[in-house]
Amino acid sequence: MITPRYPLTTSRLVLRPFTADDLDAVHAYESRPDVARYLYWAARDRDATRAALAQRVTRTALNDDGDAIDLAVTLRHSGRLIGSCLLIWTSKAHRQGEIGYILHPDHHGHGYATEAASAMLHLGFTQLGLHRITGRLDARNTASARVLEKLHMRREATLIDNEHVKGEWCTEAIYAILESEWTP
């Protein structure tokens, strides 16, 4: 079992487990259609946000395939919650993981997503001993693709119309980096 020592800190961010008290801050971005545009869910009402947050609160350790660490991304200088980041243990046998992130649009363009995702790569490679970490996204999400490229992840695949999401066929882009390619 891997339970990181919380909080995780970067130069500008503190990544910590979610609490029920984070509802207002999480709902502030998960209720926005522009945030949900490339995600698997539509903009959430308060009850849906509360239910999703209740699940996130429990995601603080990795025991087996499919487990995830889902953390609140907060600004180090103020403690303000601006988004989330996660690391999913996708295969124990093959030492594989996946990262993800969501930020409130007011905080786009400052490098916070890259900084938070970099911390998830660090966690995956150094504490979990992963061999390979991927990032999957809707291929139209060019801003998220730039984040993965800044992390030196390579685009390995484009899966044309491979998922039916919110009533439309979506093309998925898959990025990856190996432990041997990663630079802390």
Side-chain angles (χ1 to χ4, degrees), residues 118-158:
S118 179
M120 294 294 96
L121 289 177
H122 187 271
L123 179 64
F125 288 133
T126 63
Q127 288 191 35
L128 196 54
L130 296 178
H131 169 70
R132 172 185 163 85
I133 298 176
T134 61
R136 298 179 311 120
L137 59 140
D138 185 307
R140 299 171 293 183
N141 192 346
T142 57
S144 188
R146 280 193 303 274
V147 169
L148 298 175
E149 290 163 1
K150 287 178 189 174
L151 294 168
H152 305 289
M153 297 177 81
R154 82 184 141 278
R155 188 170 182 151
E156 290 190 336
T158 302

Side-chain angles (χ1 to χ4, degrees), residues 3-10 12-27 29 53 55-61 68-76 78-87 115-116 119-120 123:
T3 304
R5 195 167 159 192
Y6 295 116
L8 307 178
T9 58
T10 68
R12 301 178 299 158
L13 303 173
V14 174
L15 311 177
R16 60 161 177 81
F18 281 98
T19 70
D21 293 336
D22 293 326
L23 179 60
D24 290 338
V26 173
H27 188 62
Y29 61 87
L53 179 59
Q55 182 182 23
R56 285 188 181 132
V57 166
T58 67
R59 296 173 82 176
T60 60
I69 290 176
D70 204 340
L71 302 176
V73 176
T74 65
L75 296 175
R76 195 170 186 166
S78 68
R80 183 176 180 188
L81 192 152
I82 62 168
S84 66
C85 61
L86 83 156
L87 173 66
E115 195 168 324
M120 294 294 96
L123 179 64

Side-chain angles (χ1 to χ4, degrees), residues 60-116:
T60 60
L62 300 171
N63 296 303
D64 211 345
D65 292 1
D67 289 350
I69 290 176
D70 204 340
L71 302 176
V73 176
T74 65
L75 296 175
R76 195 170 186 166
H77 70 275
S78 68
R80 183 176 180 188
L81 192 152
I82 62 168
S84 66
C85 61
L86 83 156
L87 173 66
I88 305 167
W89 198 359
T90 57
S91 174
K92 190 175 188 176
H94 301 290
R95 297 175 39 215
Q96 310 256 335
E98 179 182 335
I99 58 170
Y101 40 84
I102 304 170
L103 287 186
H104 190 291
D106 290 352
H107 301 282
H108 288 178
H110 301 285
Y112 296 136
T114 305
E115 195 168 324

